[in-house]
Amino acid sequence: MVLSKRERMIAIATGVTLGLTGLYQFVVEPLLETRAQTQAAVVEAQLKLDRAQRLFNTSRRMNRRWGEMTGARLARNASEAESQLLNAVREWEQDSGLTLASFRPERSGEKEKDFMKMTFRATGAGSMSQVARFLYRIQTAPIPVRITDLTINPRREATDDLAVSLGISTIYLPAESPKPATPAGGAGSAAQASAEGRWLP
C-alpha cells in the first residue's frame, strides 16, 4: 500500500504526538512528581532542623542561666536571700524610676522542690514606662526571682499614673541536716541543686 505524501505527513505527525504523549506520561510526569516530592521533603527537613536548632539554643541559654543562679547568686540561707533581694529591688526601683511605697515579707520558709522560698509584697506608683521597666528588670535579673502575682490600676482616670502591687519570690538553699557517717567506698552526699528543681524567672 502506497501512501500519499499527505497521508505520510499525517502518519508521522500522529506517531510523533503519540510518542511525545507516552514520553510525558511515562518519563517526564514521574520525574516531575518525584522532584515535587523531593522538594517537599527538603522543606520539611529544613523546618525540623530549624526547630531543633531553636530548641538547642534555648536549652543552652537555660543551662547557662541555671549555672549562673546555682553558683554565687543562689543564697545559702533566708537572711542572705532577703538581703540579696532587697538590694536588687532598690537597684530596680532607682533604674526604672518607679516609686515603691512598701516592700515587706509576705510568706517565708515555703518548700519549693529542692529549695526554700520566700515571698515579698511590693506596692508603688509610676507611669506605664516605669512599671514596664521595673518588671523587665525582674524578668532579666541575674538572681533567682520571679513575679507570683501582679495588679495594676490607674490612680487617676485618663492619666499615665498607675498604682502597682506585685508579689516577688526568691529561693535559697535549705539548711543541711546532719547526715550519718558513710562507710568507706560508700556514696557521697546528695547534690544540692538538681536540674529537676530548677526555679527560673
Side-chain angles (χ1 to χ4, degrees):
M1 178 179 179
V2 178
L3 298 176
S4 65
K5 183 178 180 180
R6 182 171 180 274
E7 290 172 336
R8 287 199 300 273
M9 293 297 294
I10 293 173
I12 292 172
T14 301
V16 170
T17 301
L18 292 175
L20 291 175
T21 302
L23 180 66
Y24 180 83
Q25 289 180 343
F26 298 105
V27 179
V28 177
E29 188 174 18
L31 286 176
L32 292 176
E33 291 178 356
T34 302
R35 181 183 179 186
Q37 292 172 356
T38 302
Q39 289 176 336
V42 169
V43 170
E44 183 179 359
Q46 185 63 49
L47 291 174
K48 290 181 178 179
L49 178 62
D50 292 341
R51 285 196 295 268
Q53 187 63 46
R54 287 195 299 270
L55 180 61
F56 174 75
N57 292 336
T58 300
S59 176
R60 186 165 55 182
R61 286 195 304 271
M62 297 302 286
N63 286 336
R64 184 169 59 250
R65 177 82 165 141
W66 174 243
E68 291 173 354
M69 291 197 315
T70 55
R73 304 296 177 92
L74 189 59
R76 292 167 293 182
N77 52 58
S79 177
E80 185 178 337
E82 182 175 354
S83 176
Q84 183 175 251
L85 183 57
L86 285 173
N87 291 333
V89 168
R90 291 192 191 100
E91 180 184 333
W92 302 336
E93 181 184 14
Q94 292 175 0
D95 179 70
S96 65
L98 186 73
T99 301
L100 290 182
S102 66
F103 184 76
R104 53 184 173 76
E106 191 171 63
R107 294 186 303 276
S108 63
E110 294 181 304
K111 185 70 174 176
E112 179 83 4
K113 295 187 181 294
D114 296 334
F115 307 100
M116 299 302 293
K117 182 178 73 172
M118 60 171 54
T119 304
F120 291 78
R121 172 63 48 184
T123 59
S127 65
M128 178 61 73
S129 62
Q130 290 171 336
V131 173
R133 178 67 178 174
F134 186 80
L135 298 178
Y136 174 79
R137 290 300 306 274
I138 295 175
Q139 295 292 350
T140 58
I143 63 174
V145 61
R146 68 180 176 189
I147 298 171
T148 60
D149 63 272
L150 174 65
T151 303
I152 300 176
N153 293 305
R155 295 207 299 173
R156 291 191 298 272
E157 293 296 331
T159 63
D160 189 15
D161 186 9
L162 305 175
V164 59
S165 174
L166 69 158
I168 305 175
S169 292
T170 188
I171 57 170
Y172 57 93
L173 294 172
E176 293 186 1
S177 57
K179 299 180 179 61
T182 304
S189 61
Q192 287 183 328
S194 66
E196 182 182 357
R198 74 179 54 143
W199 197 84
L200 301 174

